[in-house]
């Protein structure tokens, strides 16, 4: 594959799946500077990995896996470099639009951000409509484990919403 072909594929994927990548970035980075850094890390990793895409899964599934793995590694690396915890600006998580922010959506993003990395990833995949089978392939866990974890996440979020 030539460099021009790689660049064309990368640009096409980036244009078609930018929203998916931003959703992951917003769930792992909580301020503008970190989001920019993480998006750049993900984009670099996708560009480096274009030639390793074997078309054994959908492009979205493959991109999700690359982006999630990059975000998880980036988060671990950033934790080592930060001595203090930054507060989460919930409004930063909401997709920018001309509509007023939905308090329920802000609450949901805040709760997702507090989940551990696997649960956070599962929640994002579920919200994007991935099947249990696709989720298990992306995260490298069994389908039954996906089901159990999603059930627990739903119960956890339901309980928290009832307390709010």
């Amino acid at each position: 594959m030539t460099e021009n072909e790689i660049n064309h594929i990368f640009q096409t994927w980036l244009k078609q799946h930018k929203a998916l990548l931003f959703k992951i970035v917003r769930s792992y980075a909580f301020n503008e500077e970190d989001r920019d850094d993480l998006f750049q890390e993900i984009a670099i990793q996708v560009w480096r990995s274009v030639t390793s895409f074997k078309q054994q899964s959908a492009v979205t599934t493959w991109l999700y896996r690359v982006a999630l793995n990059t975000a998880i590694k980036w988060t671990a690396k950033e934790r080592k470099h930060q001595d203090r915890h930054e507060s989460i600006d919930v409004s930063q998580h909401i997709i920018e639009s001309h509509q007023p922010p939905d308090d329920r959506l802000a609450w949901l993003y805040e709760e997702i951000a507090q989940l551990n990395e696997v649960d956070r990833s599962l929640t994002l995949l579920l919200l994007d409509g991935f099947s249990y089978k696709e989720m298990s392939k992306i995260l490298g866990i069994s389908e039954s484990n996906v089901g159990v974890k999603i059930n627990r996440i739903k119960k956890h979020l339901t309980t928290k919403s009832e307390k709010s």
Side-chain angles (χ1 to χ4, degrees):
M1 191 177 298
T2 68
E3 191 167 333
N4 283 341
E5 291 171 326
I6 293 170
N7 285 335
H8 176 71
I9 291 168
F10 171 74
Q11 292 297 330
T12 301
W13 286 353
L14 200 59
K15 183 186 280 186
Q16 291 175 349
H17 305 290
K18 189 182 274 187
L20 176 142
L21 299 176
F22 278 130
K23 185 180 290 186
I24 293 168
V25 167
R26 279 192 309 274
S27 295
Y28 283 85
F30 305 115
N31 63 51
E32 192 68 35
E33 185 179 315
D34 285 349
R35 281 193 299 277
D36 290 344
D37 290 348
L38 179 55
F39 185 80
Q40 184 176 13
E41 288 290 325
I42 291 171
I44 289 168
Q45 191 57 45
V46 168
W47 184 81
R48 287 180 180 159
S49 303
V50 167
T51 56
S52 69
F53 178 63
K54 305 296 181 208
Q55 299 180 350
Q56 295 173 343
S57 62
V59 172
T60 52
T61 302
W62 184 82
L63 283 173
Y64 231 113
R65 187 170 203 159
V66 170
L68 284 173
N69 287 336
T70 303
I72 289 167
K73 288 177 187 172
W74 179 86
T75 302
K77 185 175 77 174
E78 285 300 304
R79 282 188 190 144
K80 290 179 184 176
H81 297 303
Q82 291 181 344
D83 294 328
R84 60 179 172 75
H85 296 284
E86 297 179 4
S87 62
I88 299 171
D89 182 359
V90 175
S91 65
Q92 299 283 336
H93 295 287
I94 299 173
I95 298 171
E96 304 222 354
S97 69
H98 299 293
Q99 300 173 359
D102 183 337
D103 289 340
R104 296 171 301 167
L105 183 60
W107 177 86
L108 180 61
Y109 271 111
E110 185 176 300
E111 293 302 318
I112 290 170
Q114 293 176 22
L115 297 172
N116 69 48
E117 289 152 347
V118 172
D119 290 352
R120 190 180 321 161
S121 301
L122 276 171
T123 305
L124 292 173
L125 291 166
L126 181 67
L127 291 173
D128 277 336
F130 282 84
S131 70
Y132 284 17
K133 185 175 185 174
E134 292 170 316
M135 289 185 231
S136 72
K137 286 182 181 178
I138 291 169
L139 296 174
I141 60 177
S142 70
E143 283 184 61
S144 60
N145 198 1
V146 167
V148 168
K149 286 182 169 292
I150 287 175
N151 236 351
R152 289 179 183 161
I153 293 166
K154 286 180 179 179
K155 284 181 184 176
H156 170 74
L157 291 175
T158 301
T159 302
K160 291 203 83 166
S161 72
E162 290 169 352
K163 291 179 182 177
S164 297

